[in-house]
Amino acid sequence: MKQKFDKKSYEDLLKFILKSKLKISSFKDVNESGRSIIIRHDVDFCPVLALDLALIDIKYNIKSTFFFLLRSSFYNTISSQNYNAIKKIISLGHTVGLHFDASIYRNKELDANCRKEISILEKIFDIKIDIVSFHRPVKSLINTNKEIANCKHTYMKKYFEDMVYCSDSEGRWRFKNPIDIISKEINKIDFKMQLLIHPIWWTTSGRLSSTSKLDYFLNKRKNYFMQQLEENSKPYMNRKKAKIINK
């Protein structure tokens, strides 16, 4: 089944999940038996877009887990706009975890640096973090039972191999459409799924391709930074005024 990636389609997906009698679980409380699903959001580009999906989740009384990067070229976790978005997500009752980019560090330094990043996020947002998601993980980090920084991670065997794993990476379903999978297993007594959703794909028009969605995001960010320059840089502000006068 083909599916558009937009807010309406995301709501339709949530409605289907709820009708399928799947218990919404977290990484912490998922049961070994029964029917359950963990909804995970890796925030690669923008916490404000993550808030859009967090609000939709709560509309259906669903609490998900949102993973934020501490070190990112795309967003500053403690900028006013992003900080407020993350605080709002926390206030809605969602769980927050660390989205850890292991590629920044040497292998022998992963545990120590992951622990540092967890500590920083905990202090900034006054929360306890007990789950980590790797950003673009290499094979050696996948399907292992080894914890990192004394925390469980989303690619451990019990979350990755022992349950069905679905991801919208690259703006497409990489491991089959979750609706098709759930429909096929609708009468199964024991069924567990980890569903990975990236907000960037669902917060723009469903008619756009993956690359067009990214272009749209970049254009919006460009407009935002232009506005920031106008508000915080006198030379830029004066140049804009001069252009208006000369029209």
Side-chain angles (χ1 to χ4, degrees):
M1 180 189 295
K2 290 185 178 180
Q3 181 182 334
K4 290 183 178 179
F5 285 64
D6 55 25
K7 289 181 183 179
K8 181 183 181 303
S9 298
Y10 182 64
E11 289 200 49
D12 290 342
L13 176 58
L14 295 184
K15 290 176 186 176
F16 175 81
I17 288 171
L18 293 174
K19 286 181 181 179
S20 301
K21 298 180 180 179
L22 287 168
K23 177 186 175 184
I24 308 299
S25 297
S26 68
F27 290 95
K28 189 175 182 179
D29 66 11
V30 64
N31 296 323
E32 292 183 5
S33 60
R35 294 174 57 80
S36 60
I37 184 169
I38 300 171
I39 300 178
R40 160 188 161 201
H41 300 283
D42 282 2
V43 185
D44 293 342
F45 294 99
C46 180
V48 175
L49 297 183
L51 177 57
D52 288 346
L53 294 196
L55 291 168
I56 294 175
D57 287 348
I58 288 299
K59 178 180 176 181
Y60 294 95
N61 199 30
I62 290 173
K63 293 182 180 179
S64 306
T65 305
F66 288 79
F67 293 88
F68 295 97
L69 290 157
L70 182 65
R71 299 183 63 179
S72 169
S73 299
F74 290 102
Y75 63 86
N76 176 4
T77 306
I78 59 174
S79 71
S80 177
Q81 188 182 46
N82 293 328
Y83 175 84
N84 290 335
I86 297 171
K87 288 293 285 186
K88 179 64 176 178
I89 289 171
I90 294 168
S91 73
L92 291 172
H94 296 293
T95 299
V96 164
L98 172 67
H99 199 25
F100 183 60
D101 188 354
S103 68
I104 297 172
Y105 307 107
R106 296 176 182 175
N107 286 339
K108 64 181 181 180
E109 300 171 342
L110 290 184
D111 202 77
N113 283 293
C114 184
R115 188 176 289 108
K116 286 180 184 177
E117 291 197 17
I118 287 172
S119 177
I120 292 169
L121 273 186
E122 288 181 332
K123 289 177 182 177
I124 291 171
F125 295 104
D126 193 24
I127 56 174
K128 176 65 178 175
I129 290 176
D130 54 21
I131 187 71
V132 172
S133 170
F134 293 114
H135 180 56
R136 301 178 65 185
V138 295
K139 288 184 178 180
S140 61
L141 296 174
I142 294 176
N143 211 25
T144 173
N145 287 323
K146 184 180 179 182
E147 294 185 352
I148 184 165
N150 295 322
C151 274
K152 291 181 171 56
H153 62 81
T154 60
Y155 292 98
M156 294 179 77
K157 184 177 180 293
K158 68 176 182 177
Y159 301 130
F160 191 72
E161 184 178 284
D162 295 348
M163 61 174 62
V164 177
Y165 181 81
C166 266
S167 170
D168 66 353
S169 296
E170 302 177 13
R172 60 185 177 86
W173 294 120
R174 294 186 62 192
F175 306 97
K176 297 185 180 180
N177 188 317
I179 292 179
D180 293 340
I181 297 172
I182 295 170
S183 296
K184 185 178 179 181
E185 306 290 346
I186 198 70
N187 295 317
K188 196 170 183 179
I189 296 174
D190 291 323
F191 175 80
K192 297 187 292 296
M193 173 182 282
Q194 181 188 163
L195 178 62
L196 171 55
I197 299 289
H198 294 82
I200 189 70
W201 307 129
W202 300 86
T203 49
T204 49
S205 170
R207 296 189 299 271
L208 297 177
S209 66
S210 299
T211 51
S212 294
K213 285 174 180 284
L214 293 173
D215 286 338
Y216 179 82
F217 167 74
L218 288 173
N219 285 330
K220 286 194 71 174
R221 295 303 292 166
K222 177 183 176 182
N223 292 335
Y224 171 76
F225 283 119
M226 287 178 68
Q227 179 184 346
Q228 293 301 304
L229 282 171
E230 291 169 13
E231 294 175 0
N232 295 282
S233 172
K234 195 169 183 179
Y236 196 89
M237 191 185 308
N238 291 338
R239 188 181 73 170
K240 183 180 180 183
K241 288 180 180 177
K243 286 182 177 180
I244 294 174
I245 292 172
N246 293 329
K247 280 187 177 180

